[in-house]
Amino acid sequence: EFVNSNCHHLTHIIGRAAAELYGDISSTYSRGDNFCSSGYYHGVIEATMATLGADEVLEKADNICADLREDQNHSFDLRNCAHGLGHGSMYVLGNELFEALRVCDALADEWERDQCSGGVFMENVNAHDNPGHPSNYLKADQPFYPCAEVKTEYKTQCYARHTEYALEVASQHDTTVQDDFAKVFDLCAKEVEDGMRPACYSGLGHQAAMEASLADTSDE
């Protein structure tokens, strides 16, 4: 059960180890796959960014995925690289969310910036279950914080990703259910700003699909 529920985080670790072993991103990516929501690829970028340090991340961010950008424009690998930049930025910058989003800002391509921000918000939510790497940008009484405060181009990713945290908070308040989708659906309608509710509903649907997939796996 532990491995099933933490598979994505565990494959992050495998990806970090692979990056140290194989070196360049293209070569390391060629040895991975999308198992457990592509955690391997995200870990590769985390390890790559960790070699830069916080002072170099902004300067070099747009070059990290350059090889994949040349060969596979908007490919699945490029998506995972850009998304991994968001994870890696949070990893290197101590979960300082707005600083990590500045790294996404440094990317020239709009699509890559969007994917990067998704990694930032996903890592922010992951911090809820990682006491060794906490975030100051999670509020149980405001589960969609800080989505209203981020740049407009990043709001869709923020609201969609934070549905996972909203579900965790809702289940803490009502221990009779694992995840209270009805309650969070209601939160989407009442607490999310105009124009962003579809992103919230979409994120909630994604969480439902993920849970169904995990349940099918555990039954095998």
Side-chain angles (χ1 to χ4, degrees), residues 90 97 119-128 135 137-138 146 162:
M90 291 287 277
L97 183 141
V120 169
F121 299 123
M122 185 176 179
E123 190 64 30
N124 189 53
V125 171
N126 288 347
H128 178 63
S135 170
Y137 300 94
L138 291 173
H162 269 246

Side-chain angles (χ1 to χ4, degrees), residues 60-138:
K60 299 186 177 181
D62 201 42
N63 296 326
I64 292 174
C65 301
D67 289 347
L68 296 173
R69 186 182 302 127
E70 280 185 23
D71 299 336
Q72 310 173 41
N73 191 33
H74 288 198
S75 68
F76 188 66
D77 280 354
L78 180 57
R79 181 264 175 196
N80 275 316
C81 188
H83 181 84
L85 285 174
H87 282 280
S89 298
M90 291 287 277
Y91 184 75
V92 171
L93 298 170
N95 278 353
E96 282 299 324
L97 183 141
F98 286 97
E99 289 297 309
L101 288 176
R102 287 184 62 213
V103 177
C104 299
D105 289 341
L107 303 179
D109 184 82
E110 180 182 359
W111 180 82
E112 290 182 33
R113 292 197 300 271
D114 180 68
Q115 300 304 316
C116 177
S117 72
V120 169
F121 299 123
M122 185 176 179
E123 190 64 30
N124 189 53
V125 171
N126 288 347
H128 178 63
D129 298 317
N130 186 1
H133 203 224
S135 170
N136 293 321
Y137 300 94
L138 291 173

Side-chain angles (χ1 to χ4, degrees), residues 152 155 159 188-198:
T152 300
K155 286 178 183 284
Y159 282 112
C188 290
K190 293 180 178 178
E191 297 192 8
V192 172
E193 60 196 293
D194 290 344
M196 289 295 118
R197 293 186 188 103

Side-chain angles (χ1 to χ4, degrees), residues 139-201:
K139 297 183 178 182
D141 60 339
Q142 300 176 50
F144 293 109
Y145 172 83
C147 299
E149 298 181 15
V150 304
K151 293 172 65 173
T152 300
E153 69 174 303
Y154 298 144
K155 286 178 183 284
T156 295
Q157 286 280 3
C158 187
Y159 282 112
R161 297 287 178 179
H162 269 246
T163 54
E164 179 180 355
Y165 178 61
L167 283 166
E168 291 183 4
V169 171
S171 65
Q172 287 174 356
H173 292 162
D174 185 356
T175 57
T176 62
V177 294
Q178 180 178 354
D179 284 315
D180 196 335
F181 283 89
K183 183 177 290 185
V184 177
F185 195 87
D186 193 46
L187 286 176
C188 290
K190 293 180 178 178
E191 297 192 8
V192 172
E193 60 196 293
D194 290 344
M196 289 295 118
R197 293 186 188 103
C200 190
Y201 298 141

